[in-house]
Amino acid sequence: MWANLLMRIKSRQIAVDQLGLLADWLATQPDVPEGKWFKRFPGMIVCGEGEFIRTFLQAEQAALGEELK
């Protein structure tokens, strides 16, 4: 699973600072729904399902699921 996520980060040219924002958000132990969800950051979108991150999108791509604030 991690190999797939790393491949997405590289292929979608996700900046390192965006990964720092993700790490900060994850450190808050956010509540996420059981189903599909996504969280917008300034330069990317993180998509997940339940407790797992599934993929990363570029900020302008469309995401499916419940948007987290």
Side-chain angles (χ1 to χ4, degrees):
M1 179 165 81
W2 284 109
N4 181 50
L5 291 176
L6 293 173
M7 184 178 66
R8 289 286 183 237
I9 289 168
K10 185 176 179 180
S11 70
R12 302 224 164 103
Q13 300 176 347
I14 304 296
V16 172
D17 66 322
Q18 297 301 297
L19 298 176
L21 294 174
L22 172 61
D24 292 345
W25 178 68
L26 290 173
T28 69
Q29 299 182 350
D31 288 326
V32 295
E34 288 295 317
K36 293 183 179 184
W37 56 266
F38 64 96
K39 170 78 174 154
R40 292 183 190 276
F41 292 89
M44 71 173 178
I45 302 171
V46 176
C47 300
E49 188 169 350
E51 64 182 76
F52 299 104
I53 293 174
R54 296 293 185 198
T55 196
F56 297 92
L57 302 175
Q58 293 175 331
E60 66 276 1
Q61 290 182 285
L64 298 175
E66 179 182 339
E67 183 172 6
L68 305 180
K69 298 296 175 189

